Amino acid sequence: MAFAENHINTDVPEKDVFALHFLQTLSNLSTQNPFSSPDKKSDRVKKIKKAAYVSMARAAGCTDRLWSRALLQRAAKRNNKIVRFPRRRKRVTWLRRRSNRRDPVEEAAAERLRNLVPGGGEMKTSKLMEETAHYIKCLSMQVKVMQCLVDGLSPK
Amino acid sequence: MLESLVSLESMSLSSMDVSVLERLKWLQQQQQQQQQQQQQQVLSSTNASPELLQFHGTNNDELLQNTFSHFQMLRSGFGPNYSMGFGPSHEPMDGCISRTNSCQMDQADTVGVMLKNSEENIAFSLKSKRKSEVKTRAEEKTEKKIKVEAETESNMKVKSNLSNTEASSETSKQTSKGASEIQKLDYIHVRARRGQATDRHSLAERARREKISKKMKYLQDLVPGCNKVTGRAGMLDEIINYVQSLQRQVEFLSMKLAVLNPELELAMEDLSVKQFQAYFTNLPVLVASKPSLMVDAPLFPLDQQGSLDLSVINPNQATSIEAPSASWETQSQSLYNTSSLGFQY
């Protein structure tokens, strides 16, 4: 994870890479347990959502980014549950001590952002910003892809 | 001669002890010159001795004078023992030939000794030269070491000064400048302006803040509507809102896909993964030609200008969604609005 200090590299793959990964995961889902089976709608929604996140993480490069790695690890751990990103505090005293000296409002905002970005609990603030930038890019890509899919599938 | 040599050597040694290199070299050069002169003298004397041997039958006086001069020469060199040995040889003039012979032999021996001595001297001088060179090198090294040590000591002193200044945090301008220079060497991008603290923690904190602000600027360009907000906390709030909106969009779209599952399943049945792959491997050319358009337009024919027919799914929200989706952002924004309005299945 070595980046030049002046240059922030958050290159994201093309849209079709995301689309390919998403469709692959969806097809895997449908082959595992088809949608036509008597399933609850909420479960289906959760599955699709998880598929979307996992495919996004895969498309972004599983090991390149901290957030994608954390997301995939979490997805592998809780295979049947929703993807959540709780704050994992490792250096509590360290953070508390530091946050005394800093802007409390900013720190609180950073904490909220940590809760949103997967794997953000273990990042320092500068790293968190970088990861957030990449995550935002990937998310917007994924949203576009899903939007296209929905638009294509929706009955006219 | 030898005494002078010895004295010179001792001088040179003493000068080596003094360890002034240039002076030593100069002295060595002088010594070499003197030695060469002495050798020449000795050689001339040795050259003279066979002549003496040749002439000692004819001219005793000259021989005696020569020998005497040699004795004088040698006496000055070898001290009282030789003079005591040769002392009585001058008095009887008759038996001078044998004695002079013997003396000459002795002389020759002494000359040989002299020569040996001179050779030894030369050898010794060479050795001493080498030694002196080695010594000078060692001395240079030691001097360098000393210099390095002195430098390190000075650095340590400066550092200690720095630490002192850190500890006291009341720095005079010069020391603070030196500290900042040293810090510049370590961390180039950190600069302590006037009135700013120069201790280690605050410098690190400043570097961290600079890094964060750089990345915040990058994020500001990325997140729409973040340019208007001033202040880092507000920017962070905006970023958080954007991330949340994107996540909600994903959720909402996954809901839609779950609702549209029969069509999705049909699509899955129609196209296997391999076909998808083949399709998407062929795609990048298309994408390169038309990056703005959606890639799977032939697969899922989109009517981008047309309204989204979501009235089937939820007739209540149809009005908000039916807005023409010219760009993805507006469309997704409208979708996000619908999702935030409590859109439930």
Side-chain angles (χ1 to χ4, degrees):
Chain A
M1 301 291 287
F3 293 100
E5 281 192 67
N6 292 324
H7 181 62
I8 305 163
N9 184 22
T10 54
D11 289 335
V12 167
E14 292 287 328
K15 204 195 283 177
D16 36 324
V17 178
F18 283 91
L20 172 65
H21 278 273
F22 185 50
L23 287 173
Q24 270 184 345
T25 43
L26 275 182
S27 66
N28 284 339
L29 260 180
S30 63
T31 48
Q32 275 167 13
N33 46 349
F35 293 121
S36 56
S37 64
D39 223 10
K40 280 185 183 176
K41 242 179 190 177
S42 59
D43 286 355
R44 216 177 298 155
V45 168
K46 278 171 192 173
K47 272 175 190 170
I48 289 169
K49 190 180 152 190
K50 191 194 161 186
Y53 275 116
V54 167
S55 68
M56 184 178 75
R58 279 185 191 144
C62 333
T63 53
D64 283 1
R65 288 281 162 183
L66 289 177
W67 68 261
S68 62
R69 211 184 300 167
L71 208 153
L72 286 172
Q73 276 176 4
R74 193 140 288 271
K77 268 184 191 173
R78 308 183 175 186
N79 216 3
N80 297 319
K81 292 182 182 177
I82 319 159
V83 182
R84 268 187 227 144
F85 320 110
R87 172 99 173 89
R88 235 192 288 167
R89 285 199 176 204
K90 277 192 173 177
R91 291 163 288 194
V92 180
T93 54
W94 175 88
L95 275 169
R96 289 253 170 83
R97 214 174 351 106
R98 281 201 159 182
S99 58
N100 288 338
R101 247 184 281 137
R102 290 167 190 170
D103 189 9
V105 181
E106 198 181 311
E107 284 297 314
E111 286 298 304
R112 273 191 287 152
L113 194 62
R114 277 206 177 86
N115 289 329
L116 285 176
V117 177
E122 291 152 15
M123 294 175 202
K124 288 187 177 181
T125 313
S126 62
K127 193 72 196 165
L128 178 74
M129 295 297 159
E130 206 175 306
E131 293 287 320
T132 308
H134 195 252
Y135 186 59
I136 282 171
K137 276 189 173 179
C138 286
L139 260 182
S140 56
M141 273 301 184
Q142 185 66 29
V143 165
K144 279 176 195 172
V145 166
M146 287 175 86
Q147 191 66 55
C148 279
L149 203 60
V150 166
D151 291 345
L153 286 172
S154 59
K156 286 143 203 140
Chain B
M1 282 165 65
L2 280 172
E3 277 179 1
S4 65
L5 263 173
V6 167
S7 67
L8 267 167
E9 278 172 8
S10 65
M11 275 288 287
S12 69
L13 283 166
S14 66
S15 65
M16 268 159 59
D17 290 329
V18 170
S19 79
V20 181
L21 301 171
E22 290 176 358
R23 200 177 162 190
L24 202 148
K25 279 179 184 174
W26 180 72
L27 274 169
Q28 276 181 348
Q29 282 177 358
Q30 272 203 341
Q31 189 185 342
Q32 279 181 354
Q33 284 176 359
Q34 281 182 359
Q35 277 180 355
Q36 281 174 0
Q37 283 176 3
Q38 285 163 7
Q39 282 170 16
Q40 281 175 359
Q41 281 177 1
V42 168
L43 282 168
S44 66
S45 69
T46 49
N47 286 327
S49 61
E51 288 174 4
L52 283 172
L53 281 166
Q54 282 175 0
F55 287 112
H56 69 82
T58 56
N59 281 321
N60 286 324
D61 294 335
E62 287 179 3
L63 192 146
L64 274 172
Q65 281 178 359
N66 278 323
T67 49
F68 187 68
S69 66
H70 275 290
F71 283 141
Q72 275 187 338
M73 288 271 284
L74 287 167
R75 205 178 290 160
S76 65
F78 288 97
N81 289 324
Y82 289 92
S83 67
M84 282 294 281
F86 291 118
S89 66
H90 299 288
E91 291 170 3
M93 294 291 285
D94 295 330
C96 71
I97 301 164
S98 65
R99 281 200 175 184
T100 46
N101 271 327
S102 67
C103 281
Q104 276 186 344
M105 284 299 286
D106 285 335
Q107 200 184 356
D109 285 341
T110 51
V111 165
V113 168
M114 278 275 290
L115 278 167
K116 277 183 184 174
N117 278 329
S118 64
E119 282 173 359
E120 279 177 1
N121 280 325
I122 289 161
F124 181 72
S125 66
L126 281 166
K127 277 184 184 177
S128 66
K129 214 181 166 184
R130 279 173 192 169
K131 275 184 184 176
S132 67
E133 279 179 0
V134 170
K135 273 189 179 179
T136 49
R137 279 175 191 171
E139 278 167 4
E140 280 177 354
K141 278 182 184 176
T142 49
E143 278 181 359
K144 277 181 184 174
K145 276 183 183 176
I146 287 160
K147 276 183 181 178
V148 168
E149 280 174 3
E151 282 175 2
T152 49
E153 277 177 1
S154 64
N155 279 327
M156 286 294 286
K157 276 179 184 175
V158 172
K159 277 180 183 174
S160 64
N161 282 329
L162 207 152
S163 62
N164 284 328
T165 52
E166 282 168 10
S168 63
S169 77
E170 290 174 0
T171 59
S172 67
K173 276 188 180 178
Q174 287 182 352
T175 52
S176 69
K177 273 183 182 177
S180 65
E181 279 172 1
I182 285 165
Q183 287 289 329
K184 269 182 191 173
L185 287 174
D186 289 334
Y187 313 103
I188 300 161
H189 54 282
V190 180
R191 279 176 212 157
R193 285 169 201 159
R194 188 187 279 178
Q196 283 181 330
T198 50
D199 63 300
R200 197 172 294 166
H201 298 290
S202 50
L203 276 176
E205 183 68 20
R206 203 172 299 131
R208 191 191 78 101
R209 256 182 264 137
E210 274 183 20
K211 216 190 268 179
I212 289 169
S213 64
K214 204 185 287 172
K215 282 166 187 174
M216 285 283 270
K217 272 181 186 172
Y218 186 78
L219 268 173
Q220 203 175 12
D221 294 336
L222 211 68
V223 177
C226 203
N227 292 319
K228 295 163 191 172
V229 184
T230 54
R232 204 178 285 172
M235 266 163 65
L236 268 171
D237 280 336
E238 201 67 28
I239 290 160
I240 288 160
N241 285 333
Y242 187 61
V243 171
Q244 276 180 337
S245 75
L246 282 171
Q247 284 177 350
R248 274 179 206 150
Q249 277 178 46
V250 169
E251 202 171 345
F252 173 68
L253 286 166
S254 61
M255 278 175 199
K256 265 183 159 181
L257 282 172
V259 170
L260 289 168
N261 60 19
E263 285 87 352
L264 190 69
E265 209 166 0
L266 276 170
M268 290 296 165
E269 281 171 3
D270 286 342
L271 295 162
S272 65
V273 178
K274 284 179 183 177
Q275 280 173 326
F276 271 127
Q277 279 175 344
Y279 179 68
F280 278 114
T281 47
N282 292 329
L283 262 170
V285 184
L286 267 173
V287 173
S289 61
K290 289 185 274 182
S292 62
L293 280 174
M294 182 49 204
V295 289
D296 51 358
L299 221 182
F300 307 110
L302 304 175
D303 37 353
Q304 297 254 339
Q305 282 79 30
S307 64
L308 283 167
D309 197 7
L310 286 170
S311 57
V312 182
I313 301 158
N314 198 348
N316 298 327
Q317 300 294 328
T319 50
S320 66
I321 294 166
E322 269 183 356
S325 56
S327 68
W328 289 111
E329 273 71 25
T330 53
Q331 191 182 357
S332 58
Q333 206 63 38
S334 67
L335 285 166
Y336 161 57
N337 289 332
T338 57
S339 71
S340 63
L341 281 167
F343 195 57
Q344 285 182 352
Y345 289 99

